[in-house]
Each structure stands twice: as C-alpha cells, then as structure tokens.
Amino acid sequence: MARLITRRKLLIGLAASTALAGCDGRSAARAFLAGMERWNERVDRLLFSQNRLAPEPPASEMTPEAAFPSYFVSDSMPIAPAGWALKVGGIVARPAVLSLDQLKRMPQTGMRIRHHCVEGWSAVAEWNGVQLREIARMVGASRDAQYVEFRSFDNGYYSTWDIESSLHPQTILAYGMNGHPLYPDHGAPLRLYSPVKLGYKCVKYLTEVNFLPTRAGGYWEDQGYDWYAGV
Amino acid sequence: MAGSGLQIFAAYPALGPLGGKYRWYPFQDDAPPSWLRFGGWLAGARHWHFAIAWFLILNGVIYFIYMVASGEWRRRVFIPTRDTSNAIAMFAYYLRLRRTPPPEDFYNGLQRMAYTSAILFGLVVVFSGLAIYKPLQLHWITAAFGGYDFARVVHLSCLVLLALFTMMHLVLVALHPRTIVTMVTGGPRG
C-alpha cells in the first residue's frame, strides 16, 4: 500500500514550519499564544452550560478551614469601610445600592462546592449568599449586558465575567462560609463565589457589580492570566 | 508540554488535597528544578501548555488514522494473544535466563509491549489532563480518574513514565547511533 505521508515527510514539514516561525520569534510566539487563547475560550464557551451544576462533594471532603488558603493583594488584610454597601449599576433599569441586610433578605442559596485555584490546589467549603441572577433580575439588567464587572476595596482588585457564567445558578454573592458569616480573610462582607471559574475570578471584598455591554479586564487578567478561566 | 507542565506544577508542587496531602509522595512542596521548567511563570506556562496540547491531540489523531488506514497497527500494536509468550521469552533472554532470543519479525513482543504502553500513556496523559483542566464541565472524566487530586497524580505519573521511555531511547541512541534512523523513520516498509 502506498503511503501518503511518511513520518520522514511529516518531520521535514514540521522542521520547516518551526524555522519559519522562528524568524521573528517573540512576536510570533505571542500572536500564536493569543490566537490559541481565543480558540480555547471558544471551546470553553462551547463546553459551558448553565444547566450543568457542579456536583456537591460529601461533607467528609470538606477542607479544614485553616488549610483553605486566602489571598488578597493589599499589603494588609482589607477591612470593610464603615457603612459598606454594594453598588449595582451599568446598563440596568434600576441601579441599586444594597446593604448587607438587604442582601440577606433576598432568597438565599447555599452549596458545598469544590474550589479550583489556578495554582493547582482545590478546596471544599460551604458557601451561602444570593444568586447573581436574582440581583440581575432585581436591577433589570439590559439584554445588551454581555459582561459583568466586579470591583473590590482590595487595592483595586477586580475582574470581569461573561454573562452566561455570571447567571449560572451556582454563581452567588456570598456572605457566609461553612455556616458562619464570611471572615475578612475570605472576603468579608461580600464576595463573588462560583464553581464555574478559577479562584482568581471570584472577587472578594466586593464594592461594585456592573453589567456592561463590552468586555473589561481584571487584576490578574491584565497581567497575562487567561480571561475566561472556566473550570 | 513537559516543561510548561512542570512550571504549572511548581505553583502547587504538592500532591493530594489541602490539609491531607498524600504521605507516600516524597517531594511534597519541592518545586521541580527551574531548568526543567518552561514558560517563565504560571500564566505563561498555562498559555503554552493549553496551546500545544491541541497539537499533541492532533498528532495523536493523525497517528491513529494513519495506523488504522495503513494497516501498520497489525505489526506494531501489542496483541496479547499473539505477543505475550514472545515478550516473556525476550524478557527471559535479556535476563540471561534464556540463551537464544525468540524469533522476531518486525518487532519482538517486548518491543510491541513497550511501544503500545507508551501510546496508552499518551492517551492517559491527555484524558487526565482534561480531567484537571475542566473538572466541572468534564467532571465525568475527573470522576473516572478518582477525583481532581488523584487525576493530578495520574497526569504527573504519565509524564514520568513517558520521560523514562524517552530517556531509554536516548541511551539506546547514544550506545547504537544507527538506531536513530529506524526510530525516526519508523523502520523499513512492510
């Protein structure tokens, strides 16, 4: 049987294309990686479904709270300013300023979830709070809002999500963890929490939620981490 | 893939869940040496890893199609009913338990076993990689590997096995330089 592509031909072809790409190594590599990131985001969006819920691990898999890492980017632990309230705005019919009490009076969602950090560790905890989709409904988010931006009082830490992941039923604004109110190390008084994104997308110490028509960046995303970061 | 993978691993160079790391793993919290890593930092390594991964998969798919379409698989794949006794005999010969090598055609049984297991490691490295890449969207794959932390162990183990496989071939080439020709071209036509 005649062979169409021998291994030898394939190797020569590969070597030639590598040599070509090497002409302007750095910018070619950057363009290649940027293109592949866009491709990976497309795959990520195809895989994503708002109906696919993260399975709840058994209570025996709960991570001891002391072993659950907590990160912030300020020099010292960010503490909520007096009179803290959450601003919800952007392209919404009824912009709102919500106190913690008002948020707690909204329908509550609780879940035991495995958290995945970009670094490669995972940890299980229970979180409770209010679904972001409830808040989107309450403020009347526009149909044109394709992105949601989350801002914090942690030295400007922020992130932006696609609307589909933001409205996933397990994407919540959490004020409770493991049966107690959220502590400052995990983002008190209010943090974004969801199993559908890596940890760095789950902004702690929230101050603002903005529904946006265009894409914005994020603290780590602006430094080169992948923007979509689906789990 | 290996270098960027080790750079990613360096961000949490431990195996097992937080608060319950595996006791059997001797290198807990020891990052792999920097000369083995690629990508500069975690974000860079992730971009490389998830970009090149597609080409690894593409390579595997082309290889699979070629093997099936050309019928080459028949003389290359380890078929237990055909090759087991030959592989054992060859192993015995290498251990000097047997004086003469068993008859061999294109490959001997032991070679087929080694090459086929390398292909299996390749398959497992891709699927365990998917298990830790999308542990929610592809959670059935993650579950098949016994969960996220165990899938990381499998993924890293495949790397070690494939690295050993490669190193053995490099040693062979160093000892018998002519073998590199058959390694690269795949040997004479059948």
Side-chain angles (χ1 to χ4, degrees):
Chain A
M1 181 184 275
R3 295 186 186 192
L4 289 175
I5 308 168
T6 62
R7 218 192 293 204
R8 203 174 318 190
K9 277 187 199 159
L10 206 66
L11 282 169
I12 291 168
L14 275 176
S17 50
T18 317
L20 274 178
C23 289
D24 184 10
R26 260 179 185 230
S27 61
R30 213 171 300 136
F32 166 70
L33 292 183
M36 290 309 291
E37 188 188 352
R38 282 194 296 276
W39 164 261
N40 278 322
E41 182 178 330
R42 272 163 65 182
V43 174
D44 248 324
R45 284 176 182 263
L46 259 171
L47 282 175
F48 179 82
S49 162
Q50 280 188 344
N51 301 321
R52 189 174 301 115
L53 299 183
E56 299 217 350
S60 60
E61 287 184 23
M62 295 263 294
T63 303
E65 211 171 303
F68 200 132
S70 60
Y71 299 147
F72 45 81
V73 298
S74 306
D75 293 334
S76 58
M77 178 101 67
I79 300 295
W84 176 94
L86 179 75
K87 267 200 232 164
V88 186
I91 45 172
V92 298
R94 300 171 291 279
V97 177
L98 301 167
S99 70
L100 199 56
D101 282 337
Q102 281 173 302
L103 286 161
K104 283 182 177 171
R105 278 198 295 273
M106 293 179 70
Q108 196 185 115
T109 300
M111 55 190 181
R112 186 185 307 123
I113 282 300
R114 184 173 290 277
H115 170 105
H116 293 94
C117 177
V118 66
E119 294 178 329
W121 52 264
S122 69
V124 179
E126 289 168 352
W127 304 90
N128 60 303
V130 49
Q131 286 177 325
L132 192 61
R133 54 161 67 175
E134 283 288 335
I135 292 184
R137 206 172 296 148
M138 189 181 86
V139 297
S142 160
R143 277 171 189 274
D144 295 329
Q146 289 303 307
Y147 300 93
V148 187
E149 178 197 55
F150 303 91
R151 297 201 154 270
S152 77
F153 57 83
D154 178 17
N155 202 17
Y157 195 99
Y158 78 114
S159 187
T160 314
W161 289 33
D162 54 294
I163 192 75
E164 294 81 9
S165 302
S166 308
L167 302 183
H168 185 277
Q170 288 173 309
T171 299
I172 66 171
L173 301 186
Y175 43 70
M177 176 187 183
N178 292 345
H180 58 70
L182 206 55
Y183 295 148
D185 51 346
H186 285 287
L190 189 72
R191 71 169 299 180
L192 173 61
Y193 199 81
S194 177
V196 305
K197 296 282 191 199
L198 292 175
Y200 67 84
K201 299 293 282 185
C202 299
V203 179
K204 299 168 166 183
Y205 315 104
L206 283 175
T207 53
E208 278 181 44
V209 174
N210 295 310
F211 291 85
L212 303 177
T214 50
R215 187 156 163 154
Y219 180 86
W220 286 115
E221 296 88 324
D222 296 346
Q223 297 177 51
Y225 278 84
D226 35 325
W227 182 87
Y228 192 88
V231 168
Chain B
M1 288 307 293
S4 55
L6 288 174
Q7 180 70 56
I8 294 171
F9 184 64
Y12 177 60
L15 294 177
L18 286 167
K21 293 175 185 170
Y22 299 136
R23 295 229 176 103
W24 51 262
Y25 181 60
F27 309 112
Q28 293 289 9
D29 301 315
D30 291 337
S34 54
W35 57 269
L36 277 176
R37 302 189 226 152
F38 178 78
W41 65 314
L42 175 58
R46 281 170 57 85
H47 286 305
W48 280 110
H49 205 70
F50 304 144
I52 304 293
W54 289 105
F55 295 90
L56 177 70
I57 292 171
L58 190 68
N59 193 358
V61 170
I62 292 172
Y63 180 79
F64 178 81
I65 292 172
Y66 173 70
M67 279 293 139
V68 173
S70 66
E72 279 285 328
W73 67 274
R74 262 181 240 111
R75 60 175 191 160
R76 292 178 191 268
V77 170
F78 180 79
I79 302 170
T81 49
R82 179 188 66 187
D83 299 318
T84 306
S85 59
N86 186 284
I88 293 170
M90 197 68 202
F91 193 59
Y93 172 68
Y94 282 142
L95 290 179
R96 307 263 192 276
L97 295 174
R98 189 188 147 114
R99 261 195 216 161
T100 52
E104 81 182 84
D105 40 69
F106 182 60
Y107 287 152
N108 63 56
L110 206 56
Q111 278 176 306
R112 287 203 177 98
M113 198 172 174
Y115 302 153
T116 303
S117 54
I119 294 166
L120 283 180
F121 299 153
L123 273 175
V124 176
V125 87
V126 167
F127 280 96
S128 59
L130 287 171
I132 53 183
Y133 183 43
K134 298 293 154 199
L136 166 52
Q137 303 305 338
L138 302 175
H139 61 79
W140 47 280
I141 301 182
T142 316
F145 280 101
Y148 182 78
D149 287 293
F150 205 71
R152 285 182 86 233
V153 173
V154 174
H155 198 58
L156 193 71
S157 306
C158 284
L159 170 65
V160 172
L161 290 169
L162 287 166
L164 284 176
F165 182 81
T166 309
M167 281 193 293
M168 273 161 63
H169 281 77
L170 291 179
V171 169
L172 186 62
V173 168
L175 295 177
H176 307 282
R178 248 184 257 165
T179 55
I180 196 165
V181 179
T182 43
M183 276 183 205
V184 172
T185 61
R189 296 184 177 192

